[in-house]
Amino acid sequence: MRYIATFDIGTTAVKGVLLSEDNACACEKSVEIETFSEGGRREQDPLSWYAAVREISRAFFAGGISPGDVRGIVMSGQMQDLIPVDGDLRPTCNAILYSDGRAGAEAERLAALIGREELVRSTGNQFDGSLPFPKLLWLKEQNPGAYRAAEKVLISSKDYCIARLTGEYVSDVTASATAGLMDIHEKRWNTAWMEAAGLDSGKLPRLRYAHEQAGAVTPGAAAETGYLPGTPVYTGTGDAGATTLASGISADGEFNINLGTSGWVACVSDDVLPKGDVFNLAAMPEGVYINVVPFFNAGNVHKWVSRALAPSEQGKYDYVDRLLEESEAGSHGTMFLPYLVGERFPVVDTQIRGGYVGVTPETTKQDLARSALEGVAFSIRQGIESIGRVPGKISLIGGGARTPVWCQILADVLGHPVHVYRNSDYLPAVAIAASVLVAQGEIGDYTEFTDTLQGSDNCVRYDPVPANVERYNRVYPRYLRVYPALKTLCGD
């Protein structure tokens, strides 16, 4: 039996799946990752990512799998990070995460230098302080030691783990589309922008498609992980690419919602969608684009409200699930703005924070729990409307899909059936195995693999409840007025 080792280097955890040649999961393991947050800044230690990969890899082989039976390693990971790495493959400082908007002033200076229209035309996206390009300028000016020591700057968490396994600095075109530096149609770095800003373009990694080989496991990495030296390691993809592939959307009008710590709504097309509130990515298949509305706030809202309401940390999710089962649509007039860590879309405001509206003496814990999740659902509805296409199919994936009441809330708020995939926590890691199969000639294209994930045994359909749809349609216009009202209270 031959196996593919797949990893998803996420924000809250690193998940690994050892997938057999008959598409069965031979082993799976998850290791949680710590995030450092202070004053709106969000960082992680890349060493913790690789430590998790080592731990998971050793667990694969502890079950009796032979290292010689692993035909390839492939990863997905969080995107839009700034990860400076020295010549010894060690980070020169913590990774600055995608949800950290500290480089707003630098973004404005770069837009003035290069021209905002040129930035948007080439990258296919708006330009702000959450992107790695302005963060790199911030690093040079605010932490010059870390900048000088960096031999390369990586964009995705999985890029760092690939570097540790292979000694190669590469990034995929999906994740690199979030850097604010890649020409999205030509799939190349705009090195002239770097030079104009006084930055070293030699620090950028090589660009590759997901199915292209990044390198092979080095003897040193083999000793740390248990793989054989020379095991192929493939470039893989940013998490949005993996999730889109796993969700099975492949035609105009098909949408996927991801409810991870952060979240997004994605659809696919044959070109970028030139709208200011839509993020465009190069997809895993060549010549295909993903049109994304990303959100800073999704599963983190569920985590926060569970911690806030539950009497203890242990069993907090079960406790809140019980509250949700007892709740009613509309939360008796209580509304929640879900922008706990600022927001990227459907509004662009890194300073805004969350808040409840409409709390009365009669408001219950059930109302507080449900309205928090309703707030995320309203935010997602606003994001879908901003894309400007009528959904023909909506699928749901991510950790939030494990909460049935939330799945129903989404169907009701969107007024559309929602298809929820089982085992969604691990599904993106499983789905990216397709890139290894494409690379090794086992399948002709990605759809041959993703079609196997779409059977009825893998999917539960939630149909909207008409009475709830009517109620949410009345509430939604009020929700849209909450952000403008609270904006005046946040920031400086």
Side-chain angles (χ1 to χ4, degrees):
M1 185 75 73
R2 302 295 304 281
Y3 301 89
I4 299 172
T6 74
F7 295 87
D8 180 18
I9 319 296
T11 308
T12 58
V14 174
K15 307 179 184 75
V17 176
L18 191 64
L19 189 69
S20 68
E21 58 192 7
D22 59 356
N23 295 338
C25 177
C27 182
E28 62 183 35
K29 183 176 174 62
S30 178
V31 176
E32 292 190 357
I33 300 297
E34 183 179 7
T35 299
F36 308 107
S37 301
E38 182 177 358
R41 296 186 177 185
R42 294 174 59 80
E43 301 178 351
Q44 287 183 342
D45 181 0
L47 295 176
S48 67
W49 303 333
Y50 184 58
V53 169
R54 292 200 315 266
E55 180 181 342
I56 293 169
S57 298
R58 290 193 293 265
F60 289 164
F61 301 122
I65 302 297
S66 170
D69 290 333
V70 177
R71 65 192 296 179
I73 303 167
V74 66
M75 303 183 184
S76 63
Q78 54 178 291
M79 310 182 298
Q80 203 174 315
D81 294 347
L82 183 74
I83 312 163
V85 182
D86 68 16
D88 294 322
L89 303 174
R90 299 187 68 83
T92 65
C93 64
N94 281 340
I96 304 175
L97 302 189
Y98 57 91
S99 53
D100 185 317
R102 71 179 66 180
E106 289 76 14
E108 290 299 319
R109 286 162 49 200
L110 289 170
L113 175 68
I114 297 166
R116 191 171 295 277
E117 288 187 6
E118 173 62 12
L119 287 165
V120 173
R121 183 202 63 77
S122 180
T123 66
N125 294 302
Q126 297 299 311
F127 194 76
D128 63 43
S130 71
L131 301 177
F133 183 21
K135 286 174 181 173
L136 183 58
L137 182 58
W138 180 93
L139 186 73
K140 180 184 179 183
E141 296 177 347
Q142 303 299 324
N143 192 348
Y147 174 83
R148 287 193 301 269
E151 179 169 317
K152 295 290 180 180
V153 174
L154 303 174
I155 308 302
S156 171
S157 54
K158 56 91 183 168
D159 297 344
Y160 179 72
C161 295
I162 290 173
R164 291 298 299 265
L165 287 174
T166 68
E168 301 290 339
Y169 298 106
V170 300
S171 188
D172 69 287
V173 295
T174 302
S176 295
T178 69
L181 265 172
M182 189 188 83
D183 188 295
I184 196 168
H185 289 108
E186 297 185 16
K187 314 300 188 294
R188 62 167 177 80
W189 294 119
N190 285 298
T191 54
W193 295 357
M194 290 275 286
E195 304 299 338
L199 299 169
D200 181 5
S201 61
K203 294 182 184 292
L204 296 173
R206 290 179 292 124
L207 290 171
R208 293 288 185 270
Y209 280 96
H211 54 272
E212 294 183 304
Q213 187 170 336
V217 175
T218 65
E224 294 174 335
T225 59
Y227 300 107
L228 289 184
T231 301
V233 180
Y234 294 88
T235 303
T237 183
D239 50 12
T243 303
T244 302
L245 187 69
S247 70
I249 63 169
S250 59
D252 277 350
E254 295 182 345
F255 284 74
N256 171 249
I257 299 168
N258 178 276
L259 290 179
T261 301
S262 55
W264 60 76
V265 174
C267 60
V268 294
S269 67
D270 59 1
D271 203 349
V272 301
L273 185 61
K275 293 175 67 71
D277 47 4
V278 174
F279 210 90
N280 294 288
L281 303 171
M284 290 178 68
E286 298 184 34
V288 177
Y289 296 86
I290 307 170
N291 314 126
V292 185
V293 177
F295 304 86
F296 284 166
N297 301 277
N300 64 322
V301 174
H302 183 262
K303 181 178 182 180
W304 169 78
V305 79
S306 299
R307 187 180 68 245
L309 295 180
S312 65
E313 185 71 16
Q314 185 175 5
K316 62 183 179 182
Y317 295 118
D318 290 339
Y319 178 83
V320 169
D321 281 349
R322 290 194 296 272
L323 294 180
L324 292 171
E325 291 290 347
E326 299 165 356
S327 66
E328 296 183 17
S331 303
H332 298 102
T334 305
M335 288 190 295
F336 183 71
L337 190 71
Y339 303 156
L340 298 182
V341 292
E343 192 48 273
R344 177 68 183 278
F345 290 117
V347 302
V348 183
D349 190 339
T350 59
Q351 301 303 312
I352 191 65
R353 293 297 180 263
Y356 283 101
V357 174
V359 177
T360 72
E362 289 73 35
T363 299
T364 64
K365 286 186 176 182
Q366 288 84 348
D367 296 329
L368 296 176
R370 186 184 185 101
S371 61
L373 303 191
E374 288 175 338
V376 176
F378 285 134
S379 182
I380 289 171
R381 174 172 171 173
Q382 191 177 357
I384 289 177
E385 290 177 352
S386 74
I387 293 176
R389 295 175 179 169
V390 177
K393 173 187 176 182
I394 299 176
S395 63
L396 176 62
I397 199 171
R402 293 178 300 181
T403 304
V405 173
W406 205 357
C407 298
Q408 187 63 55
I409 287 172
L410 282 162
D412 294 340
V413 167
L414 299 176
H416 197 286
V418 173
H419 301 264
V420 180
Y421 294 101
R422 302 181 191 275
N423 302 317
S424 59
D425 278 358
Y426 286 94
L427 196 52
V430 174
I432 57 169
S435 61
V436 178
L437 300 178
V438 169
Q440 297 183 0
E442 294 291 325
I443 60 175
D445 57 36
Y446 288 104
T447 58
E448 288 187 36
F449 183 83
T450 55
D451 284 349
T452 67
L453 302 174
Q454 308 309 316
S456 59
D457 290 343
N458 296 319
C459 182
V460 177
R461 171 172 164 153
Y462 288 81
D463 289 311
V465 177
N468 292 347
V469 173
E470 182 180 354
R471 180 174 299 177
Y472 285 133
N473 283 340
R474 293 196 302 268
V475 174
Y476 180 60
R478 292 178 52 223
Y479 169 82
L480 294 178
R481 297 196 295 270
V482 174
Y483 165 70
L486 291 188
K487 178 178 172 60
T488 60
L489 304 177
C490 297
D492 297 334

